[in-house]
Amino acid sequence: MSVEICLRSEVNSLDLLELMFSKGFKIQEDFVMNDIYMISNNVKISKRNRNYILKNNVLVRETVGKSISLVKKNKTYDNKGNIINEKKTKCNINSVQEGYEFMLGIGYKEAFRISDHNILVTNGINEIYIQDVDGLGTYVEMEDKNLLLKHKNGNNLEELVSAIKKYNLPFDYNDICVKKAEDLINSIFKNVE
């Protein structure tokens, strides 16, 4: 189980990266992640069904140059809609096309795709992901566990928010568990009830 926060950045990814460099952060990793959200054939893709789609999907995930997998996320939400923990079940596969065809073969269909350029930065104290999401803008994520550092960023949402706020960066704290997929659904169905 893990805990993470996801915030919208109020500046673009290049400006945010420059601000973070000025605060002592350095690039640790740089990669692109492509997700295809697959849902059951009998679910209508609509704004009204967004919560069902977000909770009942399987991702065909490609971390370019690293791995390809099928990913099922099980999230637990608090009464405000914040994700208080998440467990991932992952199965490595050989190709995106094979995974996609497998999901079609067992009764799933494509809901939508999300592609984002991720830059993992660290200052030796915290690790933060800067995510430039195609068509949506810049987001940042901080997880409780660090990728390479031995200590944790925090044990719960409040500790993670406190850890990231100390850098005084231009983030929107109105929603500390932004769901990029929900933002995409809202964008797709912007003018539809």
Side-chain angles (χ1 to χ4, degrees), residues 100-116:
Y100 185 78
E101 289 173 11
F102 175 81
M103 295 305 298
L104 293 175
I106 63 169
Y108 280 69
K109 65 183 175 184
E110 180 179 330
F112 52 85
R113 296 175 184 231
I114 292 181
S115 180
D116 48 270

Side-chain angles (χ1 to χ4, degrees), residues 15-135:
D15 290 344
L16 180 58
L17 200 53
E18 287 301 317
L19 284 169
M20 295 188 85
F21 288 159
S22 74
K23 295 182 183 287
F25 283 88
K26 295 179 176 25
I27 294 176
Q28 187 167 305
E29 274 197 306
D30 188 336
F31 59 95
V32 172
M33 190 165 354
N34 299 312
D35 286 335
I36 305 172
Y37 281 71
M38 305 293 291
I39 60 169
S40 176
N41 275 332
N42 60 8
V43 175
K44 184 177 181 195
I45 301 170
S46 70
K47 190 173 181 177
R48 280 195 183 139
N49 286 340
R50 74 175 166 237
N51 289 337
Y52 184 85
I53 293 168
L54 294 172
K55 291 179 183 176
N56 298 289
N57 62 66
V58 175
L59 304 177
V60 179
R61 171 168 281 175
E62 176 188 25
T63 305
V64 177
K66 293 183 176 198
S67 65
I68 303 169
S69 56
L70 298 176
V71 179
K72 175 67 179 149
K73 295 181 180 183
N74 295 308
K75 299 177 182 185
T76 305
Y77 298 88
D78 66 13
N79 59 1
K80 296 177 185 172
N82 294 322
I83 302 165
I84 54 175
N85 68 47
E86 176 180 279
K87 182 181 179 191
K88 293 179 191 173
T89 304
K90 193 164 109 173
C91 175
N92 291 330
I93 56 176
N94 294 322
S95 79
V96 170
Q97 189 61 35
E98 286 176 7
Y100 185 78
E101 289 173 11
F102 175 81
M103 295 305 298
L104 293 175
I106 63 169
Y108 280 69
K109 65 183 175 184
E110 180 179 330
F112 52 85
R113 296 175 184 231
I114 292 181
S115 180
D116 48 270
H117 178 200
N118 290 264
I119 300 175
L120 176 60
V121 296
T122 185
N123 62 358
I125 300 166
N126 297 112
E127 292 178 345
I128 300 171
Y129 288 89
I130 300 172
Q131 300 174 327
D132 188 18
V133 183
D134 284 354

